[in-house]
């Protein structure tokens, strides 16, 4: 699944910016460390489905909307 | 996120059965241990997004289709 974490991180970053959140906002809201949030967006870590839901909740979007389509990575 | 892992496990089990796969088929195809597959379906573990994609690939469905809707748990 090479590239999945990166594609997911990019998608989270894109939607975060569209909705006007900072990394700090999302990190705080999803109870994760600010630097870990940066690592998620850079695709350096493989988050759990639970963390996906928590980030989606803070961003006010559906968790499925954060998932990159299979042909985009 | 109480109940998410259980709801996700139920959904994976439901779709697995609908598509006529055994736990062994899915475990083998997604390179996980058979007993771990059972724990996933019972909601005892919190899988990564990568594992969600691997399971979806074996089941031949979209990863998003395995995600339980927020009001179902």
């Amino acid at each position: 699944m090479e590239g999945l974490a990166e594609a997911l991180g990019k998608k989270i970053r894109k939607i975060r910016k569209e909705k006007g959140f900072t990394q700090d906002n999302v990190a705080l809201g999803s109870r994760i460390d600010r630097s870990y949030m940066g690592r998620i967006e850079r695709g350096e870590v493989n988050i759990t489905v639970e963390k996906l839901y928590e980030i989606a909740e803070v961003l006010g979007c559906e968790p499925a909307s954060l998932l990159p389509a299979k042909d985009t990575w």
Side-chain angles (χ1 to χ4, degrees), chain A:
Chain A
M1 294 274 155
E2 202 61 42
L4 169 59
E6 240 173 273
L8 176 60
K10 275 188 191 134
K11 194 127 191 220
I12 290 172
R13 172 171 286 169
K14 179 173 162 284
I15 293 176
R16 172 175 66 75
K17 287 185 172 176
E18 279 169 11
K19 291 181 176 259
F21 287 92
T22 63
Q23 278 189 351
D24 278 352
N25 302 145
V26 181
L28 205 64
S30 11
R31 296 172 301 135
I32 45 179
D33 186 76
R34 163 81 171 60
S35 65
Y36 191 70
M37 188 64 211
R39 294 186 66 212
I40 289 171
E41 291 193 357
R42 289 190 301 273
E44 293 169 5
V45 292
N46 195 350
I47 63 172
T48 62
V49 170
E50 181 165 297
K51 198 49 72 189
L52 177 79
Y53 273 67
E54 286 175 2
I55 291 170
E57 196 160 73
V58 174
L59 294 177
C61 65
E62 279 303 314
S65 70
L66 295 176
L67 294 182
K70 277 198 274 185
D71 50 11
T72 62
W73 51 275

